[in-house]
Structure formats: structure tokens, C-alpha cells
Amino acid sequence: MPSVGVKLYSVFFKFLLKHRLQNRIQSSGDESSSDPFGVTTRPEESVAAPNPLFTDGVATKDIHIDPLTSLSVRIFLPESALTPLEPSTSACVYSESRRNSYGYTTGSSSPEAGSSDVYRGYAPSSSGGNSRKLPVMLQFHGGGWVSGSNDSVANDFFCRRMAKHCDIIVLAVGYRLAPENRYPAACEDGFKVLKWLGKQANLAECNKSMGNSRRPGGEVKKSEVNKHIVDAFGASLVEPWLANHADPSRCVLLGVSCGANIADYVARKAIEVGQNLDPVKVVAQVLMYPFFIGSVPTQSEIKQANSYFYDKPMCILAWKLFLPEEEFSLDHQAANPLVPGRSPPLKFMPPTLTIVAEHDWMRDRAIAYSEELRKVNVDAPVLEYKDAVHEFATLDMLLRTPQAQACAEDIAIWAKKYISLRGHEFSY
């Protein structure tokens, strides 16, 4: 059984969550609460500031990628990316220069003292030819559709852990929350980031093929931007960390709680568009205690409906806030992965690791989905953690427990089968 501390914290957590959900329901009827631009975090959320220095082995930066919405990403770059392919002293530099929209700059090498826009973070070398390429992970946070954020203290800690354990660049997606933006906003935001990643890779390759001597992300004349780089999301420059270190052909999706539903949606959309995403290739996905539900209850939904942290009545409230009123159904395609008629066929889904907790009422449906994937020969193992609760590896109070650490290590071992370069795979 969970510890006494976990049980007490669960009671407190559920009280606050119920209060917040009820407030969201009361405000959702107000037309002014609907805002296409949306919000990606709540005032009560404790957030971690980005740090472009490798103070703990991972550098971070925030990027707003869509001018029409609040959609953003936080990039987590592990220090291992600085290891050159061959011995070299030109793998990286730390820059003190003028900031552009990505937080990376060149320009003045000796900025004025006391200037507020001085940037002292990691900046890739001008050549970039000796840079190490790492796989990319798109991470979708949890929070029951209405809360949570990609830059929360807990999510920042978790993503740093994954970046180091998996030796991977993590893009934590700040998708729009409900009820300000209902389905499919959050799911489409996830897919937008995947397309943005592909566009960034193509723009970087375009720069390279044109023999542009400037550093990726450096300042260019307006005429050069118009001539060479066109980005549907309004970004006029190549993101330098991704241009120098990302290998989008080894892309993993990881979703936490309701974020797992988003990851599954993005995986299906990626299959539907196929080669239009090149060079991005989704090679695997990790679903951590998915936020699945259905009208016909499973055994765990009956026996553990009042389980820790997220009980069934509160989750139903969250789904009412997320789904449009005219579409509300527990068998909605975003809620129930087992409903017939979902496309594409399951046999085309990427390898899928499912993480479940013993004391999570949603566990059985996640296991059943994994079983359906295995029936069509998709590599879809399930890792179940004894005495664990929903969000046992990502909730702020539980992040430093042995179970949370073991879960991260288990994910890394499995994921490296699909993201490691040939000859360097881990066995599982």
C-alpha cells in the first residue's frame, strides 16, 4: 500500500483539484472564458525559470512557436550533446551577445556592461560540422487537461531527468489548457510541434545547402530572411540548438496522464500524414498512466474508482471541461482507445511502452490497449509498478522516490532500443 504520507497528500490534492475543477466549470459558461490564444499555465502553478547554462548537466530555453496561440516549447539539451564526434576544441562556445527571438544570439561580441539583453548561455559553434546529433523526445505534461504546464517545477525536474537518462533532447510542449480551449486544441498543439520540428530540420538543411556562413540563429538582414527562410509559424530563424544537435529521424513521444492521450493522438496523426513529416520519424512512444476512460467500466474502474489523487468522478469533470459539450462522451476517440473505427489501424502504430500503477483506477484500460497493440505485432510492453499511484513518477511530492527513479531508468532502457545508433542499442 502507499505510505501514510502519500495517502494524506492525496486527500489534500483531491480537495484542491475538486475545488479548481468546480471553479473551471462555473467559469466555462462565460463566453469571455473562450480565448483562441489560450493559456498554457495557471497562476497557482509553481514554475521553473529556463537556464541556458549546463549547471546540472542540462541547459534549457523557452520558445513561443505559434504567433496565433500561446503554444510554446521548452528545450532540454543534455550536456552530452557537446561531446564532439572527434577530438576538437570547437564543439561549443558560451556567448555574451544580443538576444534574438530564440534566446540565442551572435552580433556584438562585447556588449555594453549592464545591458539587460545580454545573453550568457550555450551557443553552438559557428561551424556546427563536428556537433553530436541526439534523438528528440516530445513530452506532454499531465494535469487533467485544465492544469499543469511544461515549465512547472515538477515537469522541469522530470524532463531534465529524462534528457540525462535517455541522452536525448527533450521538447516539453506547452499546449493550451481547457476550458479556454477545448478538444482538439491540446491535441492539435502537440501535432503542431511535431510539424514545427520537421520545419526546423528542413530550414537548417536549407541553410547548410546554401552555404550560409552565418551561425544558425544569428542575425541576418530582413531581405535575407525573406529570401531564404519561410516559417508558417512566424519564426524567421533556425533554432540553433536543434539545428546543431537534433536528429528528428529518431523521435520519441512521451505523454504523462492526459499527455499520454495527446502522445497517442500525435502518433496517429504522424502515421496519417506519412512522408509529409520528413525528416521527422516517430520511432516509439511512451504512455505513462494514460488518462483513458470508457462508458463500459473495467474491473479497476469499478474497484478503485475512489483511488488516490485522481478519482473517477473528478476525471469525468475534467473530461467535461475538455470535450465540447456537443461531443461529450466517455467513448470519445480522445478518451477511449478501444472504441471501434479509430484510424489508422493499430498495426501501423509505433512501438509503445505503457507505464501503469497498481493503485490507479485507469490502469486496466491502458493494459487492454497495450494488449490490442501486441495482437497486431506491435512491440507494446507494459510495466506495472507495485504500490504505486497515478503520476507516481511525475508528481512533485513523488519525483525523488526510488520508484520514480527506477521508472525513468526503465523508460531509458526500453527507448534506447529505438533511438540508439546501430551498434549501440541497449538490450531489454
Side-chain angles (χ1 to χ4, degrees):
M1 294 292 291
S3 67
V4 174
V6 170
K7 292 178 180 179
L8 290 175
Y9 186 67
S10 173
V11 173
F12 176 71
F13 181 92
K14 289 166 74 171
F15 174 79
L16 285 181
L17 181 61
K18 183 177 180 179
H19 177 71
R20 290 169 181 170
L21 287 173
Q22 289 176 339
N23 285 342
R24 299 279 176 247
I25 287 178
Q26 291 174 1
S27 63
S28 63
D30 183 5
E31 292 184 1
S32 61
S33 66
S34 178
D35 178 14
F37 190 79
V39 295
T40 59
T41 188
R42 300 294 183 191
E44 64 269 14
E45 198 76 49
S46 177
V47 300
N51 183 357
L53 300 175
F54 296 98
T55 51
D56 65 345
V58 179
T60 61
K61 70 163 72 170
D62 291 338
I63 302 175
H64 177 214
I65 66 172
D66 184 357
L68 301 179
T69 71
S70 56
L71 176 61
S72 64
V73 296
R74 171 164 289 187
I75 302 178
F76 294 80
L77 180 69
E79 196 168 12
S80 59
L82 275 58
T83 305
L85 298 177
E86 297 175 359
S88 172
T89 59
S90 62
C92 67
V93 297
Y94 284 87
S95 172
E96 290 190 357
S97 47
R98 301 292 179 183
R99 185 188 300 267
N100 68 10
S101 61
Y102 289 110
Y104 163 83
T105 57
T106 53
S108 174
S109 58
S110 56
E112 297 176 4
S115 176
S116 61
D117 62 350
V118 171
Y119 174 71
R120 295 182 177 88
Y122 168 64
S125 63
S126 56
S127 63
N130 205 35
S131 300
R132 184 178 175 214
K133 297 288 187 179
L134 297 180
V136 180
M137 173 183 285
L138 265 61
Q139 188 265 355
F140 307 97
H141 66 80
W145 303 118
V146 300
S147 61
S149 70
N150 66 327
D151 58 359
S152 69
V153 172
N155 200 66
D156 186 88
F157 183 94
F158 174 74
C159 289
R160 287 176 181 275
R161 173 180 279 173
M162 295 311 304
K164 288 186 280 190
H165 276 61
C166 296
D167 197 21
I168 198 169
I169 298 173
V170 178
L171 302 185
V173 180
Y175 57 84
R176 289 170 291 169
L177 302 176
E180 291 86 351
N181 295 97
R182 296 175 182 256
Y183 176 87
C187 298
E188 284 297 323
D189 284 351
F191 188 54
K192 276 184 183 179
V193 173
L194 193 68
K195 292 189 292 184
W196 176 82
L197 176 63
K199 289 184 178 183
Q200 283 294 320
N202 289 325
L203 292 173
E205 187 61 30
C206 181
N207 271 1
K208 183 178 177 181
S209 64
M210 289 187 299
N212 199 333
S213 61
R214 66 177 178 85
R215 189 183 314 192
E219 294 179 351
V220 293
K221 294 179 180 179
K222 186 174 182 180
S223 60
E224 291 177 329
V225 172
N226 294 334
K227 180 178 180 181
H228 299 307
I229 303 176
V230 177
D231 190 340
F233 295 107
S236 60
L237 301 175
V238 176
E239 206 303 302
W241 289 9
L242 299 181
N244 283 268
H245 299 296
D247 178 3
S249 67
R250 294 180 289 155
C251 182
V252 177
L253 308 176
L254 184 147
V256 175
S257 189
C258 65
N261 299 49
I262 298 176
D264 191 63
Y265 176 95
V266 173
R268 290 188 285 115
K269 291 288 287 186
I271 294 169
E272 290 176 0
V273 300
Q275 294 182 345
N276 290 333
L277 273 178
D278 283 348
V280 175
K281 290 181 174 59
V282 176
V283 298
Q285 69 170 342
V286 180
L287 308 181
M288 300 182 68
Y289 18 85
F291 210 63
F292 294 150
I293 197 171
S295 59
V296 180
T298 63
Q299 188 173 1
S300 65
E301 291 173 3
I302 295 173
K303 291 186 175 182
Q304 302 186 57
N306 194 34
S307 59
Y308 304 97
F309 294 100
Y310 291 89
D311 59 34
K312 189 172 182 178
M314 283 195 294
C315 289
I316 292 176
L317 283 180
W319 278 107
K320 287 182 177 179
L321 286 166
F322 176 64
L323 295 174
E325 292 184 15
E326 64 277 8
E327 293 184 31
F328 177 75
S329 168
L330 297 184
D331 287 326
H332 190 281
Q333 62 176 357
N336 189 353
L338 303 178
V339 293
R342 282 177 108 220
S343 63
L346 291 180
K347 65 180 180 180
F348 297 115
M349 292 295 287
T352 302
L353 172 64
T354 302
I355 306 291
V356 296
E358 180 183 7
H359 298 290
D360 182 2
W361 66 269
M362 292 177 272
R363 59 185 293 278
D364 282 0
R365 199 172 300 272
I367 294 172
Y369 181 45
S370 183
E371 290 173 351
E372 292 300 313
L373 290 171
R374 290 196 296 276
K375 287 179 183 178
V376 291
N377 299 318
V378 175
D379 181 21
V382 175
L383 296 182
E384 181 175 356
Y385 292 80
K386 185 176 176 58
D387 291 333
V389 297
H390 191 81
E391 290 224 45
F392 72 91
T394 47
L395 203 62
D396 51 2
M397 178 189 177
L398 306 175
L399 274 169
R400 291 173 173 81
T401 61
Q403 270 190 327
Q405 175 69 21
C407 180
E409 293 172 356
D410 291 340
I411 291 172
I413 291 172
W414 181 82
K416 285 183 177 180
K417 288 200 305 179
Y418 299 100
I419 62 177
S420 296
L421 296 174
R422 183 166 297 182
H424 297 273
E425 298 91 342
F426 274 50
S427 59
Y428 178 74

